[in-house]
Amino acid sequence: MSNVVIVAKVKIKKEFKEEILEELKQLHKSTHSLDTGCIQYDLHKDLDDTNSFVFVETWENQELLDAHMATNHFLTFVKKVENKLENLEISKLEKLI
């Protein structure tokens, strides 16, 4: 099975920006140090929207991505951002070339 690429676009409600940005950074740190199969897990800020951020992720396969989504640090993140995002858009991709 080929690698799985995720592009997760997160738009934070203005009043929660600092709080949720710290949660994004913690998720980044925990994922890099704890998750098997994580090839890339980069957090980017949107230059046109100060409340928007993007994770670009590459996972060895779907099973390891599923394992990441079942970890305590990921599930804790999901609970902490509940009702604090304007939008969350996730694209799951397969690299062609």
Side-chain angles (χ1 to χ4, degrees):
M1 178 178 253
S2 61
N3 294 345
V4 178
V5 177
I6 300 293
V7 177
K9 298 178 182 178
V10 179
K11 182 166 179 132
I12 304 168
K13 291 180 180 177
K14 185 178 181 179
E15 63 270 27
F16 300 112
K17 179 186 175 190
E18 294 307 316
E19 172 189 351
I20 299 306
L21 178 55
E22 289 307 311
E23 294 300 331
L24 292 170
K25 290 176 181 179
Q26 183 58 50
L27 179 61
H28 175 270
K29 180 180 178 182
S30 296
T31 298
H32 271 286
S33 63
L34 301 173
D35 291 2
T36 302
C38 179
I39 298 168
Q40 173 190 15
Y41 202 85
D42 297 332
L43 178 60
H44 304 267
K45 68 178 183 177
D46 187 315
L47 295 177
D48 295 324
D49 183 347
T50 60
N51 294 326
S52 292
F53 300 87
V54 178
F55 272 113
V56 178
E57 313 168 25
T58 304
W59 294 88
E60 287 182 21
N61 57 48
Q62 183 63 51
E63 291 77 21
L64 292 170
L65 171 59
D66 291 342
H68 160 69
M69 294 189 306
T71 61
N72 284 336
H73 57 269
F74 183 80
L75 295 173
T76 298
F77 169 78
V78 170
K79 286 181 184 178
K80 287 184 175 183
V81 302
E82 188 175 5
N83 299 316
K84 296 178 181 176
L85 303 181
E86 279 189 34
N87 191 39
L88 174 62
E89 180 183 330
I90 299 173
S91 299
K92 188 171 12 171
L93 311 168
E94 179 180 359
K95 185 175 179 178
L96 294 179
I97 38 181

